[in-house]
């Protein structure tokens, strides 16, 4: 992984342009966001503003924090190549009791804040104020049932809230609210980006309904997968009313929600979408020249 100095040097060579980037939720399918960041990098540009929901908030935070697409790819491949690598990182970075992080006897299986504190790359800032690109994490206020956008304070609690699926992960208490996954109100937050930039790229990784039909999925796959089905419905209705300038939909809908260890396959499946995005960005740059 690159050190912070290298990241700063890389960013100084990129040109910030008035293009906003919205990254949607999709659990493991969200790995497809990484090649989209690479598309920006390979053209020597970076977005002016980023908004992310759920897995999109995690990737978006890393990108806004100074990581390149290649660095995110290397990090993801490193920890998701094998389950042993994933477990090793947890044990090497967690000093508390394992039951505080993962406990099937509690109402929520996983403490998302603690897990993300362990898993997030060390070079990513922990506060919004230290990000290199303005960023917003989309969450849902459980009690008001409304969208709640976070753009300041603790980055970890914000992206944890944006990614918290009820029953699977513990809701995040922040700003006097109880917050859960932002996908319930805004699966791909391009409307938030459209308010900030004149040109918006949205990456929807929910995919078309589908997936492996090899028997009945496990309980967690069923829970998260059913949520993604609902998000697909919300996204379709949203697109009927308002569309971003560019909508990229990587062909990853056949991957189950929790197939994070198929990282390499998801990255490969996203390459055609990356090429599509590069063509769209090149066309925008020529238009603006």
């Amino acid at each position: 992984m690159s050190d912070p100095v290298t990241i700063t040097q890389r960013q100084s060579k990129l040109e910030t342009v008035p293009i906003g980037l919205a990254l949607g939720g999709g659990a493991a399918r969200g790995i497809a966001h990484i090649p989209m960041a690479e598309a920006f990098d390979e053209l020597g540009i970076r977005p002016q503003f980023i908004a992310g929901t759920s897995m999109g908030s995690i990737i978006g935070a890393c990108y806004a924090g100074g990581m390149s697409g290649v660095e995110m790819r290397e990090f993801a491949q490193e920890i998701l190549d094998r389950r042993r690598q994933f477990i090793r990182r947890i044990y090497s970075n967690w000093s508390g009791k394992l039951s505080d992080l993962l406990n099937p006897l509690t109402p929520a299986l996983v403490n998302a804040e603690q897990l993300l504190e362990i898993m997030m790359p060390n070079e990513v800032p922990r506060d919004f104020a230290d990000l290199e690109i303005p960023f917003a994490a989309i969450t849902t206020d459980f009690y008001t049932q409304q969208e709640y956008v976070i753009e300041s304070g603790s980055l970890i609690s914000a992206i944890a809230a944006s990614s918290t699926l009820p029953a699977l992960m513990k809701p995040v208490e922040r700003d006097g609210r109880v917050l859960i996954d932002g996908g319930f109100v805004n699966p791909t937050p391009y409307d938030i980006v459209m308010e900030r930039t004149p040109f918006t790229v949205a990456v929807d990784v929910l995919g078309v309904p589908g997936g492996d039909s090899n028997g009945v999925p496990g309980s967690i796959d069923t829970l998260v997968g059913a949520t993604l089905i609902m998000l697909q419905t919300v996204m379709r209705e949203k697109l009927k009313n308002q569309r971003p300038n560019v909508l990229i939909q990587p062909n990853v809908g056949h991957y189950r929600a929790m197939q994070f260890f198929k990282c390499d396959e998801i990255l490969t499946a996203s390459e055609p979408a990356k090429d599509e995005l590069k063509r769209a960005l090149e066309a925008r740059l020529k238009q603006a020249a």
Side-chain angles (χ1 to χ4, degrees):
M1 296 298 299
S2 300
D3 57 38
V5 174
T6 302
I7 290 174
T8 301
Q9 292 172 341
R10 176 188 68 80
Q11 290 286 16
S12 68
K13 297 177 182 178
L14 297 179
E15 178 186 1
T16 301
V17 297
I19 297 176
L21 179 61
L23 303 177
R29 300 169 191 175
I31 293 169
H33 289 312
I34 294 174
M36 307 309 117
E38 291 175 332
F40 276 86
D41 293 343
E42 289 170 14
L43 293 176
I45 61 176
R46 60 176 174 173
Q48 186 180 59
F49 177 73
I50 302 171
T53 294
S54 199
M55 189 65 178
S57 75
I58 296 173
I59 301 296
C62 290
Y63 199 32
M67 293 185 76
S68 70
V70 168
E71 288 164 343
M72 287 190 284
R73 178 186 289 262
E74 292 174 350
F75 182 80
Q77 290 174 320
E78 178 184 340
I79 65 170
L80 296 175
D81 179 48
R82 295 183 179 86
R83 287 175 174 80
R84 284 182 299 176
Q85 292 290 99
F86 184 84
I87 295 171
R88 184 179 296 120
R89 182 174 179 86
I90 291 176
Y91 273 103
S92 63
N93 287 277
W94 178 242
S95 58
K97 297 179 181 179
L98 185 59
S99 59
D100 293 335
L101 177 66
L102 177 66
N103 191 341
L105 300 179
T106 57
L109 180 64
V110 178
N111 186 313
E113 285 189 78
Q114 293 177 344
L115 180 62
L116 280 170
E117 185 63 58
I118 293 169
M119 302 307 299
M120 285 291 284
N122 296 331
E123 53 265 61
V124 176
R126 267 37 181 181
D127 194 283
F128 278 83
D130 299 319
L131 297 176
E132 297 187 4
I133 300 173
F135 170 70
I138 312 305
T139 74
T140 302
D141 185 314
F142 181 79
Y143 287 108
T144 68
Q145 302 174 32
Q146 299 293 317
E147 176 181 85
Y148 184 63
V149 181
I150 303 177
E151 299 183 65
S152 62
S154 167
L155 185 67
I156 294 296
S157 72
I159 61 177
S162 183
S163 309
T164 295
L165 283 174
L168 180 60
M169 296 179 177
K170 178 183 176 182
V172 173
E173 296 182 75
R174 174 184 167 135
D175 303 338
R177 302 170 182 263
V178 175
L179 303 172
I180 60 173
D181 196 297
F184 290 107
V185 291
N186 202 341
T188 303
Y190 58 82
D191 52 320
I192 302 298
V193 178
M194 292 173 74
E195 296 172 357
R196 311 293 185 88
T197 61
F199 191 87
T200 297
V201 172
V203 185
D204 168 22
V205 295
L206 292 171
V208 297
D212 299 332
S213 56
N214 302 344
V216 177
S219 57
I220 293 178
D221 253 325
T222 300
L223 172 65
V224 182
T227 301
L228 296 188
I229 293 171
M230 182 196 70
L231 302 192
Q232 288 167 347
T233 302
V234 174
M235 186 65 182
R236 284 195 296 271
E237 291 303 310
K238 182 179 176 182
L239 287 169
K240 291 178 182 179
N241 297 312
Q242 184 182 44
R243 298 183 70 89
N245 299 98
V246 174
L247 176 63
I248 303 296
Q249 296 175 300
N251 184 24
V252 293
H254 54 288
Y255 291 100
R256 286 185 178 176
M258 302 307 293
Q259 289 185 317
F260 286 95
F261 295 108
K262 290 196 174 184
C263 175
D264 285 338
E265 289 186 28
I266 295 172
L267 290 169
T268 299
S270 306
E271 287 300 315
K274 173 184 173 180
D275 293 337
E276 178 187 354
L277 176 55
K278 287 182 71 173
R279 290 192 296 270
L281 291 173
E282 287 171 338
R284 175 59 180 173
L285 292 175
K286 289 179 181 178
Q287 183 183 13

